[in-house]
Amino acid sequence: MSLLEVRGLKVHFPIKKGIVLERTVGAVRAVDGVDLTVEKGTTLGIVGESGCGKSTLGRAVLQLEPVTAGTVVFDGEDLGALKGAALRRMRRRMQMVFQDPLASLDPRQSVSSVLTEPLRTHGEKGPFDKRVRELLDLVGLPATAANRYPHEFSGGQRQRIGIARAISLNPELIIADEPVSALDVSIQAQVVNLLEELQQRLGLTYLVIAHDLAVVRHISDDIAVMYLGAVVEVAPSDDLYEAPLHPYTIALLSAIPIPDPEVEDRRERVLLRGDLPSAADPPSGCRFHTRCPFRQPTRCSDEVPELRVLEAFPGHQVACHWAEQVHSGELQPAQGSVAEPVEASAGPTPSGPAAPPDGLGLVLP
Amino acid sequence: MTTATTPRDAVPGQLAGEPLLKVRDLTVTFASRGRRAVRAVDGIDLDVAAGSTVGIVGESGSGKSVTSLAALGLLGKRGVQISGSVHFDGADLLNMPDDELRAVRGKEIAMIFQDPMSSLNPVLTIGRQITEILVRHRGLSKQEARDEAASLLQSVGIGDSVRRLRSFPHQLSGGMRQRVMIAMALACAPRLLIADEPTTALDVTISAQILELLRTLVAETQTALVLITHDLGVVAGLCDTVHVMYSGRIVESAPRRPLFAAPEHPYTNGLLASVPRLDQPRGIPLLPIPGSPSDTLPWAQGCAFSPRCTRREDDCLGGPPPLAPVGHPAHLLRCMHPVPTGERRV
């Protein structure tokens, strides 16, 4: 049985008008019908741009946001049906790591107090000295850190404290919301490696929410791509990068710069028009159709595509009417939505394949 | 290979051999009473040829933004000591009277910043802010300026531009605001554009749009571009020459191809080894750089990167290593023990 199962999850935030006679005039559909499954000991990555609902989804899984519809089943128990003490008991089995470690640590709390607060909250009795030493050791901080305060640490060390706090209750599931995006580039790898190491040592299950596809792909077994409150594609990490099927995933992948001039000069970029539409009034039909370079008349704007598995790609789900045609190249992106490779007005041209395979802009070795 | 450093086309009127922007030994020290002085920039030499694209890469605190702010006289006077020289087209920017400098800034040199929301005036319409520049620097009438502003918005990909001129910054999305900033920067056809983390606050797909826009605009208008960023991927696709900064100094600089093909400085190599790459197989472990950017040594005592460096030897301490050519004449390196070919991670 899967550790976490999310079915038809919706989180709608009401838009109110009026002061005395307050009435609801609409809703921001932050999460609008999401299904996810996370197996024990694995990592599911959720990627998407700001405003796509990925953080709200993570919080809703922990019942930190009011769930409008749908169920979250953790280890066989429906969290939505639990209240009070029963919910608290379940919550100690799932913890969260936040983006900005400085904002999520109390500046007036010493590290040992930060690390033992979850224990005290859940009614454990001290002394906790040994546990604090253990936790600090697990995340690679010296035992002397216990009596210091968050401002005395660098960004990477603060994130280690945040992670130590999350694992203090021996949880099974960790939800990490943008765990490295506030950190300097040279530090990100330290935290990513720490998360991987802890997963192996403690058998943790991760739900990692991030906008950086390269990082998500590195640590995730499976990836769900979100757009405007809905999951548009779910696939094992390698498959997603080798054969992205949804036009949004294709654009997202081709937008990520790769630190190699040889690759950069040969890539084609699928550029998206315009900006993310409002989640209070999502487009009809496929919600991506307003920006999709592969859009086809009527069906895309009329009919909502369901997540489905393509015959040729078992284990890979996509919500696009035209995924087969897009993948086979039968449908080409609209004119003006592809930026041609810059191919070097400067420097000698390297030999090698001139056109990237399947128009993805990704040259795989 | 040297073609990568030369401008795509020489701009007429430009002194032969003289770069458009020439920075020599620029040093910036922040000193406020009762606090330890901080040397944010520690002797930077930088040449930007007309029409070329130069990348400055570094992490937070490396001095990459302060370099450009100091060069343009945007740091203020209190508590800041600036030494060295900055010449733009032969004119000395550091010793220029304020009103002359203001005429150069905005007209000849333009700048765009990371967060367009805090660089735009929230209580004025977009149109008012763009026309202000056109009236002031190009002497257009109000009506001419409005027409020109609309066509500028069009050129940065904002449709329905006449109506957009009446919008306030908060009515636009982040990507749109950055487009407006670029339109404003290009309003006077500057010869130099400095972009400080222009896409860091934006989503990846929007960031790709903006970078594509910058790429085509600088090529069309022959504007020289200085791109300041922490993202090696961004410079890999856009810059002719790349300078890597660490703790206020340039530690490696080279045309982009040799730099990415053979990063010799342990810091550059470490940066490349610590980021996962989409085009490589998934199982490759990340090799982080130990410590944090704050574990630094004053350059006077030795290499500032040495406390984090895995290749450190005793001779790394005792004054800063010189920035000297290695192999390729345009490939400069400040390191006593460069990374040998076999251990490079590319």
Side-chain angles (χ1 to χ4, degrees), chain B residues 288-312:
Chain B
I289 301 178
S292 81
S294 57
D295 306 334
T296 169
L297 197 70
W299 281 102
Q301 292 173 28
C303 175
F305 184 62
S306 62
R308 302 175 69 191
C309 186
T310 49
R311 304 187 50 78
R312 178 185 55 229

Side-chain angles (χ1 to χ4, degrees), chain A residues 49-50 184-187 189-190 193 217-218 220 238 241 257 259-262 265 272 274-275 339 342 347-348 365, chain B residues 1 3 59-60 173 203 205-206 209 215 233 256-257 260 274-275 277-280 282 284 286 288-289 291 308:
Chain A
E49 297 181 281
S50 48
D184 264 314
V185 186
S186 69
I187 306 299
Q190 296 177 6
N193 286 357
R217 177 218 189 200
H218 183 83
S220 306
D238 289 323
Y241 287 85
D260 184 344
E262 312 294 339
D265 286 356
L272 297 182
D275 293 302
V342 281
Chain B
M1 269 331 256
T3 45
E59 294 179 284
S60 49
S173 66
D203 278 316
T205 59
I206 307 295
Q209 293 172 359
R215 193 196 316 271
R256 62 179 179 133
R257 281 167 188 273
F260 284 95
S274 64
V275 290
R277 272 178 61 165
L278 275 180
D279 61 332
Q280 285 178 346
R282 200 162 75 89
I284 299 177
L286 302 182
I289 301 178
R308 302 175 69 191

Side-chain angles (χ1 to χ4, degrees), chain B:
Chain B
M1 269 331 256
T2 45
T3 45
T5 49
T6 51
R8 281 168 285 232
D9 261 319
V11 171
Q14 183 69 29
L15 287 170
E18 207 33 37
L20 181 65
L21 181 74
K22 185 172 161 186
V23 176
R24 284 293 172 273
D25 199 25
L26 182 70
T27 300
V28 183
T29 310
F30 293 102
S32 46
R33 218 184 312 167
R35 287 219 182 148
R36 200 165 50 91
V38 176
R39 182 161 289 189
V41 176
D42 197 358
I44 292 276
D45 293 347
L46 189 70
D47 285 342
V48 181
S52 69
T53 303
V54 172
I56 301 179
V57 183
E59 294 179 284
S60 49
S62 63
K64 56 192 193 301
S65 297
V66 173
T67 302
S68 63
L69 293 174
L72 298 190
L74 288 172
L75 278 182
K77 304 225 156 38
R78 265 170 178 257
V80 186
Q81 292 157 12
I82 300 175
S83 66
S85 72
V86 178
H87 285 87
F88 177 76
D89 199 13
D92 182 355
L93 292 186
L94 289 187
N95 297 309
M96 195 178 262
D98 282 353
D99 49 344
E100 279 178 48
L101 186 58
R102 270 197 294 276
V104 173
R105 261 190 333 235
K107 188 159 194 289
E108 305 270 340
I109 308 177
M111 196 156 176
I112 51 181
F113 298 92
Q114 171 173 348
D115 179 6
M117 194 60 196
S118 56
S119 320
L120 289 168
N121 188 331
V123 297
L124 298 181
T125 61
I126 299 301
R128 176 87 186 276
Q129 297 185 56
I130 304 178
T131 50
E132 183 184 350
I133 308 169
L134 295 166
V135 171
R136 183 187 154 80
H137 285 299
R138 278 172 54 184
L140 300 186
S141 74
K142 276 203 165 163
Q143 186 52 50
E144 285 169 339
R146 255 198 299 277
D147 294 343
E148 177 68 14
S151 75
L152 277 167
L153 286 189
Q154 206 88 55
S155 71
V156 295
I158 297 182
D160 199 7
S161 54
V162 178
R163 196 174 62 86
R164 278 294 175 205
L165 287 176
R166 291 197 296 271
S167 305
F168 288 91
H170 73 267
Q171 294 171 312
L172 305 177
S173 66
M176 286 267 227
R177 285 198 283 262
Q178 198 58 289
R179 284 171 194 267
V180 170
M181 288 302 296
I182 294 174
M184 287 169 71
L186 296 177
C188 295
R191 283 192 283 164
L192 175 64
L193 175 64
I194 299 178
D196 190 351
E197 302 269 12
T199 60
T200 308
L202 305 174
D203 278 316
V204 264
T205 59
I206 307 295
S207 161
Q209 293 172 359
I210 297 292
L211 290 174
E212 191 58 36
L213 177 68
L214 278 177
R215 193 196 316 271
T216 46
L217 287 180
V218 296
E220 275 168 19
T221 58
Q222 287 299 318
T223 306
L225 174 69
V226 174
L227 183 74
I228 299 169
T229 177
H230 68 279
D231 189 339
L232 283 161
V234 170
V235 294
L238 200 59
C239 297
D240 302 327
T241 313
V242 182
H243 302 281
V244 181
M245 282 187 75
Y246 191 81
S247 192
R249 284 189 186 231
I250 291 174
V251 294
E252 184 162 16
S253 73
R256 62 179 179 133
R257 281 167 188 273
L259 185 84
F260 284 95
E264 304 227 11
H265 199 283
Y267 177 62
T268 318
N269 189 61
L271 278 183
L272 286 169
S274 64
V275 290
R277 272 178 61 165
L278 275 180
D279 61 332
Q280 285 178 346
R282 200 162 75 89
I284 299 177
L286 302 182
L287 303 175
I289 301 178
S292 81
S294 57
D295 306 334
T296 169
L297 197 70
W299 281 102
Q301 292 173 28
C303 175
F305 184 62
S306 62
R308 302 175 69 191
C309 186
T310 49
R311 304 187 50 78
R312 178 185 55 229
E313 306 270 347
D314 289 345
D315 57 351
C316 293
L317 306 176
L323 188 65
V326 276
H328 191 289
H331 192 158
L332 302 177
L333 180 69
R334 189 189 294 285
C335 183
M336 311 293 278
H337 304 284
V339 184
T341 319
E343 291 175 33
R344 278 183 211 136
R345 173 70 181 273
V346 262

Side-chain angles (χ1 to χ4, degrees), chain A residues 168-251:
Chain A
S168 63
L169 285 166
N170 285 321
E172 289 149 70
L173 174 71
I174 300 254
I175 298 185
D177 189 355
E178 299 278 9
V180 300
S181 60
L183 305 176
D184 264 314
V185 186
S186 69
I187 306 299
Q188 293 189 356
Q190 296 177 6
V191 172
V192 167
N193 286 357
L194 174 66
L195 287 172
E196 288 187 320
E197 188 194 316
L198 289 176
Q199 179 165 42
Q200 283 184 354
R201 284 172 73 170
L202 307 174
L204 295 168
T205 305
Y206 287 143
L207 189 64
V208 176
I209 299 162
H211 70 279
D212 185 335
L213 271 128
V215 168
V216 169
R217 177 218 189 200
H218 183 83
I219 50 179
S220 306
D221 300 294
D222 297 285
I223 296 180
V225 181
M226 279 187 80
Y227 184 79
L228 211 63
V231 171
V232 296
E233 186 163 1
V234 190
S237 296
D238 289 323
D239 294 5
L240 189 79
Y241 287 85
E242 272 153 37
L245 297 176
H246 197 281
Y248 178 63
T249 316
I250 293 172

